[in-house]
Amino acid sequence: MRWDNLGESRSALFGADVVSRTIDTPEFRGITFHEVRARSIVNRVPGASRMPFEWTVNPYRGCSHACVYCFARKTHSYLDLDTGLGFDSQIVVKINAPDLLRRELAGRRWRGDHIAMGTNVDCYQRAEGRYGLMPGIIAALRDHANPFSILTKGTLILRDLPLLRQAAAVTDVGISVSVGFLDRELWRTVEPGTPAPERRLDVVRTLTAHGIPCGVLMAPVIPFLGDAPEQLRATVRAVAEAGAGSVTPLVLHLRPGAREWFMAWLGHHHPRLVRRYETMYADGAYAPKWYQRRITRQVHELAAEYGIGPARPGEHRRITPPPPAPAPGENTPNAPAEPVQLTLL
């Protein structure tokens, strides 16, 4: 295994002291944890990213949620680890993340910019139940009144509700829960290690009831399996009933690493769709723009019908992006922008 390029950037490397533990208990059976000491924890987002934030914190690499479409699978190849089962079961744990974050936030160069979490792998995956890194991370952000956001599929975030409320009292905190569909059979096969969609919506309901605004990233919308009008309607209705402040659709994208794993899953579970996917994603990782626009329009219309607004880019993380510059000769700067396909890192 290579431990030379484990950081999110060339300057963010790990030390050589790595402890690997395979835990033989029911909740972690088959999972190996590689405990490492990171040299940097606040990482800059690549300039080509479409996301509205510049800095991230990722205390884990690899994810036991085992979502077959996860775009972060490719990052495991940097460690000479498998992007399929290896990504699901070989979890890198940055055990010094809370202390390191506190030190970096206190540095003279740090300017208090927004920090996004859950952008690479879920910081509330099952490993967090063993290592408990997030309470120290949230406490550090609270103590520095540093704005932050969290995207998760994990119900374990409710453990940290008192800390989130304390942080929200002194800085901007944005929480978003990922729920792309309600279909239980689809969930069991495509997101086998995650809490059920209804349990994630309970997280939205609980956070909202305790004064923590929460949005839903409706992701991914899976072509031909989760995009029927009645499926979209049922999901948006459930999101609204849970009290979400916004809903943001994100169509499935298939980057290298994830693409191979997803297509293998598709061939096993839905072989009739393989050819359609090969056609739809023939030009790259993203579905055609006409399809993205159609899904975005349908979800926005449903959101308006059920009384929740669609989020602008960054809104579900409590970030206000700068307004787009008008095109040359454009005289309508307040015209609504064309729906855009967001991406994660």
Side-chain angles (χ1 to χ4, degrees):
M1 222 184 305
R2 286 186 295 151
W3 298 104
D4 293 335
N5 296 315
L6 285 172
E8 267 53 54
S9 69
R10 287 288 179 182
S11 62
L13 306 181
F14 289 174
D17 50 333
V18 180
V19 176
S20 298
R21 305 181 192 274
T22 300
I23 312 299
D24 190 24
T25 58
E27 66 270 32
F28 297 121
R29 185 157 294 152
I31 295 178
T32 298
F33 296 109
H34 304 287
E35 300 172 359
V36 302
R37 299 189 65 82
R39 296 180 185 171
S40 177
I41 196 66
V42 180
N43 302 292
R44 188 184 291 272
V45 175
S49 171
R50 305 181 191 184
M51 296 309 292
F53 46 79
E54 189 176 357
W55 302 95
T56 66
V57 164
N58 294 297
Y60 301 99
R61 270 181 176 263
C63 187
S64 59
H65 282 346
C67 301
V68 298
Y69 53 75
C70 183
F71 63 90
R73 289 183 176 277
K74 178 67 174 177
T75 62
H76 247 40
S77 67
Y78 306 156
L79 320 180
D80 286 341
L81 287 172
D82 174 51
T83 60
L85 290 176
F87 180 84
D88 303 339
S89 61
Q90 303 280 329
I91 310 299
V92 177
V93 184
K94 305 174 188 178
I95 58 174
N96 61 333
D99 293 339
L100 187 54
L101 175 61
R102 190 173 289 275
R103 187 166 77 234
E104 292 185 11
L105 293 179
R108 287 184 296 177
R109 291 187 175 184
W110 183 247
R111 301 171 65 180
D113 294 330
H114 180 100
I115 289 177
M117 291 176 282
T119 63
N120 192 40
V121 300
D122 203 321
C123 48
Y124 282 105
Q125 60 175 288
R126 278 183 287 164
E128 173 62 16
R130 172 178 172 83
Y131 288 94
L133 301 179
M134 287 302 293
I137 289 172
I138 296 171
L141 292 162
R142 175 203 63 195
D143 293 347
H144 287 270
N146 201 106
F148 66 91
S149 59
I150 299 172
L151 170 64
T152 186
K153 290 186 176 81
T155 56
L156 188 57
I157 190 173
L158 295 181
R159 176 201 64 191
D160 297 338
L161 180 56
L163 279 169
L164 291 170
R165 295 186 66 183
Q166 293 167 19
V170 296
T171 190
D172 287 333
V173 175
I175 307 296
S176 191
V177 175
S178 177
V179 183
F181 47 83
L182 301 182
D183 187 302
R184 290 187 65 85
E185 188 59 34
L186 182 59
W187 157 65
R188 286 191 183 98
T189 60
V190 82
E191 300 172 342
T194 66
E198 57 267 26
R199 290 188 60 204
R200 290 178 241 163
L201 290 174
D202 285 341
V203 170
V204 176
R205 193 173 287 109
T206 301
L207 290 172
T208 301
H210 285 84
I212 305 292
C214 187
V216 166
L217 186 64
M218 192 170 160
V221 176
I222 303 180
F224 318 124
L225 292 172
D227 63 349
E230 62 272 17
Q231 291 175 305
L232 298 178
R233 174 175 291 276
T235 302
V236 174
R237 179 173 60 240
V239 167
E241 290 173 350
S246 64
V247 58
T248 305
L250 179 67
V251 173
L252 175 74
H253 57 277
L254 297 173
R255 296 186 185 178
R259 186 186 187 106
E260 296 84 353
W261 194 242
F262 179 87
M263 293 301 291
W265 171 87
L266 191 71
H268 178 73
H269 291 277
H270 304 280
R272 63 183 177 81
L273 294 178
V274 170
R275 182 61 180 164
R276 298 182 73 179
Y277 267 81
E278 289 173 346
T279 300
M280 173 168 275
Y281 289 90
D283 294 332
Y286 294 92
K289 287 189 175 181
W290 65 263
Y291 179 85
Q292 297 175 31
R293 294 189 189 104
R294 189 187 82 188
I295 295 298
T296 299
R297 182 179 66 253
Q298 288 177 305
V299 172
H300 285 187
E301 290 172 354
L302 290 166
E305 179 180 341
Y306 288 108
I308 54 175
R312 297 186 303 273
E315 186 176 329
H316 64 291
R317 285 186 175 270
R318 302 284 294 276
I319 307 170
T320 303
E330 185 177 352
N331 295 318
T332 56
N334 295 321
E338 178 180 314
V340 173
Q341 171 72 57
L342 298 177
T343 182
L344 298 179
L345 295 180

